[in-house]
Amino acid sequence: MVKVYAVWIVLGVLFLSGRAFPENEPAGSMEERIDEIKSLEKRIIELEQQQKILARKWEIEQQAAAEKAKASPVVTATSKDGFSLKSADGDFSLRFRGLIQADTRSVSGSSGSLADDTFTLRRVRPIFEGTLWKDIDFKIVPDFGGGSSSLQDAYLDFKFLPEFKVRAGRFKSPFGIERLQSCSDTLFNELGLPSNLTPNYDIGAAIFGDLYEGKLGYTLGVLNGAADNASIDSDIDNNKEVAARLFANPWKGEDSFLGGLGVGFAATYGIKDGTSGSTYLPTYKTIGQADLFKYASGVVSDGAQERYSPQLYYSYGSFGVLAEYITSSRKVSKAAATEKLTNKGWQVAASYVLTGEDATYKSVIPRKPVNFTEGSYGAWEVVARFGRLDIDSDTFPTYASSTSYPETATNIGAGLNWYWNRNVKWALDYDWTSFDKGSTKGDRKDEHAIIGRVQLTF
Amino acid sequence: MNIKTWIKGIMLGILVSAIPGYAKEIKLLNVSYDPTRELYQEFNKAFAAYWKEKTGDTVVINQSHGGSGKQARAVIDGLEADVVTLALAYDIDAIAEKVKLFPKTWQSRLPNNSSPYTSTIVFLVRKGNPKQIKDWDDLIKPGVSIITPNPKTSGGARWNYLAAWAFALEHYKIQHPDQKDAEKSSEADAYAREFVGKLFKNVPVLDSGARGATTTFVQREIGDVFLSWENEAFLAIKEFGADKFEIVIPSLSILAEPPVTVVDKVVDRRGTREVAQAYLEFLYSEKGQDIAARNFYRPRLESVAKKYAEQFPEVKMITIDAVFGGWQKAQKRHFDDGGVFDQIYGIK
C-alpha cells in the first residue's frame, strides 16, 4: 500500500510540473525553448567571433608595432656611452660624449717659462663618434681647453676585418704607451718625462688590427711625421714618417698571474728636414709644464729621426704597472755643424686600487659609486712613478745652452685618484723633479708641482 | 718526345688543373607581394638548377614578401631589390616615379605587359557555405562578416575593392536596362560607392597583406567569407582541407595581372643584370609557367593553360583599363590619401 501511495504522490508531483503529461503542455513552449536555445547558441557564436576579432586586431597591432620598432632608431643616454642615436639595424650610429678637466696648478722651482699658479680648464672636448654603413667608424674631437680651440682626433676607420682595418685622418701616432692612453685614463694628471720623446697627433694613414683572438695587436702607419712632444697638421718637408707598433697580451683572457701582462715594441723612422722658419725640433716640458729643453736658435732638424720604445703594461687584481723606455735619435745641424743626437727616457708608473677594484690600462670603474647617504665612497687609487729624461750630452753647448737647459731630469711622483663613478674623477698629484745642470749656478732648481683635477667624462 | 717535353706537359697539366673554376655565387633579392611565397619557393629552386646547368654559377635568391604597397614603399625607401614582382602595375610605377630605379617604360620590356601570369578574386567560404554566399550582393547583407586586407597596403585588397565596385556598376546597369551607358552615370557611381561602403562596414579586421588575411580567416577562424586571390583560396583548401572550406566564384571578377621587372640601378651596381633578366624570363618559360600553374596562378603560355584548364574555373572578368581607365586613375581616385576608400572607411 505504501508503494501505491508513493507512485500516486510521484505522479501528482509530475502532473503539477507538467512533465507527466507533455501532450497537455501549451503548444509553443517547447518550440520557444528550442528557439531560445538556438538564439543563445547564435549569440555565443557571435561573442566568440567578437573575441577572436579583438584578439586578431591586437595581434595585428603588435605585429605593426614590432615592425615599426625594427625600423625605428634607438636613442640612449648612458653613463658608459654618453648620448647615442642608433639605426634599428645598427648600421648607423652617432655618439656624443665629452671630457672636461678642470685643474688647479701650483708649481715652484724649475725656471724659465713657469706659469703662475692657476686654475685652468686643461681640456674641454666634445667627442663625436659614430658608425656609417656598419663598417666605417669615425671620430671627431675638438678641444677648447685653455681658452683656445684646436683639433685632436679626426679620422675614419674602415673595418674590413677585425684583423685588418684602415685608419685615415688625424690621430695619435702609434708609439708611446702612456701617450696612447686616453687623456681621461692616465694615472697622473700630466704625462711622465719620457713622453716628451713621443709624437702626439699626426696626420696620415695606418693599417691596424687584432690577431690571435686579440692577443696581438699591430699598427703600421705612414704619417707626416710630428716632432717629439708635438702634433702636426701639415708637413714641413716632402718626407714622411713610418710608425709601427706591436703589442702582445699572450695570456689575455686566461685566469692566470700573467693574464694582465702586455708587452710591446714601437718604432718610428722618418726624414725631417727643418728650415729656419720651421725647425722640426721639439720642445720638452717638465711635469709642471715649464720648458725643460729647447734647441738653440739656428739649429734645425737635418735628416733621419729614429725612435724606439719597448713598453709594458701589467695588472693583477688591484695592482697595475706601466713601463716604457724610449730613445729618440735625430740628425741636427747648425750652420756647418751636423750631429746625430740621441735623447733617452724611461719611466715606471704603478697604481693600486685601495677599494679592491681591478687596475686597468683604462679608468677604474667603482663597484659602488659615491652615495654618501648610503655610505658608499666610490673607488680610491694610489699612484706612484719614477722617471728620467736624458738629453744627449753632445747637444751641449753647440746645439743647446747648458746654462738654460739640464742634461738630465729625474722625476718622482705620487698621487691619489678618487673615482666617484664611471664619469667623475678627482685627482691630486705631487711631482718632484730634479735636474743636472741647466742653470748658470750649476743644477737647475728642483721643480715641485702640485696638480689637482676634477674630471667629467661621459 | 723527350723527357723535357714530358715534364713540361705534366707541369702544364698540374697548373691547369690547379686553376680554380670560374663558377661564382650570385645573390639576388626578389621583393614580392604577400601570397607568392610558395610560388617562388618552388620557382627559385628550379631557376637555380637551370642557371647552374647553363653557366655553372650558383644563384641564391632571397625573398621578401609583404603587402604590395608596403613592399613598393620599402624599395622606395632603400631596400635593394634586384627584381620586384608585385601585385599590380601601379606599385611598380610608383618605384619608377619616385626613385627612378628603372625607366617608366618598364612594363613594355617583357611580354604580356610584364605579367607572366594572371589571377583573379574569388570568395573562400566555410564548408557548406552556411551564410549562402553566392555573389557580391550577398556580402553586404547584415550579419555577413568579410575578410579582406587593407587596400592602403595590399595589392590584393585593391583588386578586391575594384572588383566589388565593378560588380556594383554592372548591377546598376542590369537594374536600369533602358538607361544608355547606365554604368557610366553618376548615379551608378553613387550606387557603387554606397555598395562598397556597405561591404567594408562588414569587414571587422584589416590585415596589411593577403597572407595575413588568410591567417585571419583560415587559422583564427574569423569571418564568413574571405575575398581572396584565387591562388590563395586554392592553397588554403590544399593545405587545410576541402572539408573546411570551399570556393565560390562570383558572377563577375577582375583580371589581376601581377607584373615583374628588373631593378636596373641595383642590378647594374651589383653586376647581376644578366641573372636577374634571365630569372624573370624563366617565369615565361614552359617550366616557369608550369610552376605558376601548379601554384594556382593562371599561366600565359597556351600549352600550359590547356594542361591546367580544368584546375581554373570559368570566371567573367573585367579589366582595370576598361572599367577604371587604368591603375593611375584608379589609384588616384580610390586609394590615395583622402580618396574614396578613406572616405568610406572613415580614415582621416
Side-chain angles (χ1 to χ4, degrees):
Chain A
M1 191 57 113
V2 170
K3 280 186 184 174
V4 170
Y5 279 131
V7 167
W8 278 109
I9 290 167
V10 169
L11 281 173
V13 169
L14 285 173
F15 171 76
L16 287 170
S17 70
R19 287 173 198 260
F21 305 101
E23 62 270 22
N24 289 339
E25 217 174 84
S29 69
M30 185 60 71
E31 284 168 13
E32 279 171 14
R33 284 206 195 93
I34 289 168
D35 286 344
E36 202 179 315
I37 289 167
K38 280 185 182 167
S39 170
L40 285 170
E41 271 178 356
K42 190 179 166 191
R43 186 78 188 120
I44 288 169
I45 290 168
E46 281 170 10
L47 284 170
E48 271 181 355
Q49 273 289 289
Q50 288 297 325
Q51 185 267 325
K52 283 178 183 175
I53 287 166
L54 286 170
R56 182 61 180 156
K57 278 184 172 174
W58 170 250
E59 200 178 342
I60 290 168
E61 269 174 38
Q62 291 299 299
Q63 282 168 1
E67 270 191 46
K68 197 176 173 186
K70 272 188 214 169
S72 300
V74 178
V75 179
T76 58
T78 66
S79 61
K80 186 181 170 205
D81 296 324
F83 303 93
S84 71
L85 182 66
K86 200 176 186 180
S87 66
D89 59 11
D91 284 358
F92 293 84
S93 68
L94 176 65
R95 274 200 309 165
F96 171 62
R97 298 190 297 118
L99 167 70
I100 300 175
Q101 292 175 337
D103 287 4
T104 172
R105 295 170 168 261
S106 175
V107 183
S108 64
S110 198
S111 72
S113 57
L114 197 60
D116 294 329
D117 291 355
T118 184
F119 293 110
T120 186
L121 285 173
R122 180 71 172 89
R123 292 179 181 91
V124 178
R125 295 186 180 177
I127 301 169
F128 303 95
E129 297 174 309
T131 301
L132 304 168
W133 301 103
K134 190 172 113 187
D135 294 324
I136 304 172
D137 288 346
F138 66 88
K139 187 171 185 175
I140 301 171
V141 183
D143 186 19
F144 304 107
S148 62
S149 59
S150 61
L151 184 64
Q152 306 300 309
D153 294 278
Y155 61 78
L156 293 171
D157 282 345
F158 298 87
K159 301 180 292 186
F160 296 100
L161 293 167
E163 298 85 3
F164 182 74
K165 302 174 209 176
V166 176
R167 175 169 292 180
R170 193 175 198 270
F171 50 93
K172 281 187 188 172
S173 187
F175 187 70
I177 189 171
E178 188 188 39
R179 176 78 73 180
L180 285 171
Q181 270 185 310
S182 169
C183 52
S184 59
D185 296 338
T186 51
L187 294 177
F188 284 82
N189 292 325
E190 292 295 343
L191 299 180
L193 289 177
S195 286
N196 277 300
L197 302 178
T198 66
N200 198 2
Y201 284 94
D202 208 331
I203 296 184
I207 58 171
F208 65 105
D210 294 310
L211 309 171
Y212 305 110
E213 295 169 353
K215 290 184 180 177
L216 178 66
Y218 76 93
T219 308
L220 177 64
V222 176
L223 304 146
N224 281 336
D228 296 350
N229 200 33
S231 298
I232 193 170
D233 284 302
S234 58
D235 214 340
I236 295 167
D237 57 16
N238 291 327
N239 305 304
K240 297 289 168 271
E241 182 169 89
V242 175
R245 183 173 183 258
L246 279 175
F247 199 83
N249 302 82
W251 294 275
K252 183 178 176 181
E254 292 180 30
D255 187 18
S256 100
F257 184 71
L258 296 172
L261 176 64
V263 292
F265 187 84
T268 71
Y269 179 86
I271 309 287
K272 291 190 170 84
D273 292 328
T275 63
S276 56
S278 300
T279 62
Y280 232 145
L281 292 173
T283 298
Y284 301 149
K285 296 283 187 182
T286 65
I287 304 294
Q289 301 304 297
D291 284 344
L292 171 58
F293 175 81
K294 261 187 195 172
Y295 287 93
S297 176
V299 181
V300 297
S301 179
D302 185 16
Q305 181 183 15
E306 304 159 9
R307 302 185 187 96
Y308 302 101
S309 173
Q311 49 196 240
L312 171 152
Y313 182 80
Y314 174 71
S315 67
Y316 184 70
S318 301
F319 174 72
V321 64
L322 179 149
E324 58 185 335
Y325 176 82
I326 302 171
T327 73
S328 174
S329 304
R330 67 171 54 71
K331 278 183 86 175
V332 301
S333 63
K334 182 177 180 182
T338 301
E339 191 85 45
K340 183 175 177 182
L341 302 171
T342 301
N343 301 329
K344 297 173 189 175
W346 60 268
Q347 69 171 324
V348 178
S351 66
Y352 185 76
V353 186
L354 298 167
T355 41
E357 286 86 346
D358 286 341
T360 71
Y361 184 65
K362 298 192 175 186
S363 270
V364 173
I365 299 173
R367 281 198 207 111
K368 290 184 183 177
V370 164
N371 188 329
F372 296 117
T373 53
E374 287 184 12
S376 55
Y377 301 102
W380 292 80
E381 177 187 50
V382 291
V383 295
R385 64 178 165 191
F386 186 77
R388 185 174 162 120
L389 180 64
D390 290 312
I391 309 298
D392 192 326
S393 55
D394 291 338
T395 307
F396 307 99
T398 310
Y399 302 101
S401 163
S402 58
T403 54
S404 297
Y405 303 111
E407 276 189 24
T408 301
T410 306
N411 158 245
I412 297 175
L416 181 66
N417 296 326
W418 180 18
Y419 300 87
W420 279 49
N421 43 52
R422 59 163 75 236
N423 303 111
V424 174
K425 169 181 160 186
W426 289 21
L428 182 65
D429 301 336
Y430 166 71
D431 279 280
W432 168 36
T433 307
S434 61
F435 307 95
D436 288 340
K437 300 184 185 166
S439 167
T440 50
K441 295 172 186 172
D443 293 337
R444 187 194 277 195
K445 264 192 193 169
D446 292 354
E447 181 185 88
H448 302 275
I450 299 173
I451 301 173
R453 173 171 293 169
V454 174
Q455 174 179 285
L456 168 70
T457 58
F458 61 89
Chain B
M1 207 182 281
N2 62 25
I3 187 87
K4 281 187 183 172
T5 308
W6 274 108
I7 291 169
K8 279 184 194 168
I10 289 165
M11 285 185 69
L12 188 62
I14 291 168
L15 275 171
V16 167
S17 66
I19 293 172
Y22 289 102
K24 43 189 194 290
E25 183 177 282
I26 303 160
K27 284 190 180 160
L28 292 184
L29 174 62
N30 174 2
V31 172
S32 191
Y33 61 113
D34 222 3
T36 55
R37 291 160 212 267
E38 290 79 9
L39 165 66
Y40 282 109
Q41 207 167 357
E42 195 181 338
F43 179 81
N44 290 347
K45 266 190 205 147
F47 177 75
Y50 157 78
W51 193 253
K52 184 86 178 172
E53 198 184 316
K54 183 179 173 188
T55 65
D57 293 337
T58 304
V59 181
V60 174
I61 299 135
N62 294 314
Q63 289 292 135
S64 168
H65 292 277
S68 184
K70 245 176 74 171
Q71 292 290 77
R73 273 195 282 285
V75 174
I76 288 165
D77 288 342
L79 180 59
E80 295 225 319
D82 296 272
V83 300
V84 288
T85 57
L86 298 180
L88 47 113
Y90 177 83
D91 288 339
I92 299 186
D93 280 336
I95 299 172
E97 169 86 29
K98 292 203 164 92
V99 286
K100 299 175 177 36
L101 292 176
F102 40 83
K104 287 182 184 175
T105 53
W106 62 272
Q107 206 162 7
S108 59
R109 303 195 295 187
L110 286 169
N112 303 115
N113 278 334
S114 289
S115 299
Y117 44 77
T118 68
S119 192
T120 188
I121 301 301
V122 299
F123 302 163
L124 187 68
V125 298
R126 310 278 171 204
K127 188 68 180 178
N129 199 357
K131 293 287 177 83
Q132 293 301 304
I133 293 165
K134 294 189 180 61
D135 207 350
W136 290 96
D137 48 1
D138 294 318
L139 301 183
I140 63 170
K141 289 176 181 168
V144 173
S145 179
I146 305 165
I147 299 302
T148 170
N150 189 340
K152 302 290 277 188
T153 50
S154 163
R158 277 174 275 173
W159 290 116
N160 293 346
Y161 173 109
L162 294 173
W165 191 284
F167 169 84
L169 292 177
E170 186 70 13
H171 199 242
Y172 185 86
K173 181 181 168 183
I174 291 167
Q175 286 176 338
H176 299 83
D178 298 328
Q179 190 178 340
K180 191 183 173 200
D181 291 332
E183 73 279 11
K184 292 179 186 170
S185 65
S186 56
E187 291 84 5
D189 194 82
Y191 177 82
R193 188 188 175 107
E194 194 187 340
F195 180 86
V196 174
K198 283 180 185 172
L199 189 148
F200 273 91
K201 274 196 171 53
N202 283 352
V203 175
V205 176
L206 280 179
D207 286 90
S208 65
R211 189 48 58 92
T214 307
T215 301
T216 298
F217 184 76
V218 167
Q219 290 169 4
R220 303 290 181 268
E221 297 176 328
I222 297 171
D224 302 307
V225 55
F226 174 29
L227 305 185
S228 166
W229 284 102
E230 181 177 48
N231 78 290
E232 276 291 88
F234 279 118
L235 277 175
I237 287 177
K238 184 179 167 188
E239 190 176 332
F240 293 95
D243 57 331
K244 292 223 168 66
F245 306 103
E246 52 188 72
I247 294 175
V248 170
I249 306 297
S251 63
L252 179 144
S253 192
I254 192 163
L255 176 66
E257 297 179 286
V260 303
T261 190
V262 164
V263 182
D264 296 49
K265 283 203 176 156
V266 173
V267 298
D268 287 339
R269 186 164 59 242
R270 281 200 189 152
T272 54
R273 179 180 277 279
E274 193 193 349
V275 186
Q277 184 68 26
Y279 177 76
L280 294 183
E281 284 169 0
F282 195 67
L283 281 166
Y284 290 87
S285 67
E286 183 149 350
K287 182 128 191 169
Q289 291 283 292
D290 202 80
I291 291 171
R294 273 209 302 279
N295 284 276
F296 307 106
Y297 292 86
R298 294 179 178 238
R300 294 283 201 186
L301 204 57
E302 189 82 28
S303 55
V304 178
K306 271 191 188 149
K307 183 178 165 190
Y308 288 90
E310 282 186 18
Q311 175 176 284
F312 295 104
E314 285 282 330
V315 183
K316 180 184 170 189
M317 296 189 212
I318 57 98
T319 65
I320 190 163
D321 288 338
V323 177
F324 298 97
W327 264 114
Q328 291 289 339
K329 284 186 179 166
Q331 175 72 28
K332 189 173 177 180
R333 186 177 175 218
H334 293 277
F335 306 115
D336 274 358
D337 288 344
V340 176
F341 173 71
D342 283 348
Q343 294 162 34
I344 283 170
Y345 205 66
I347 296 164
K348 290 180 186 142

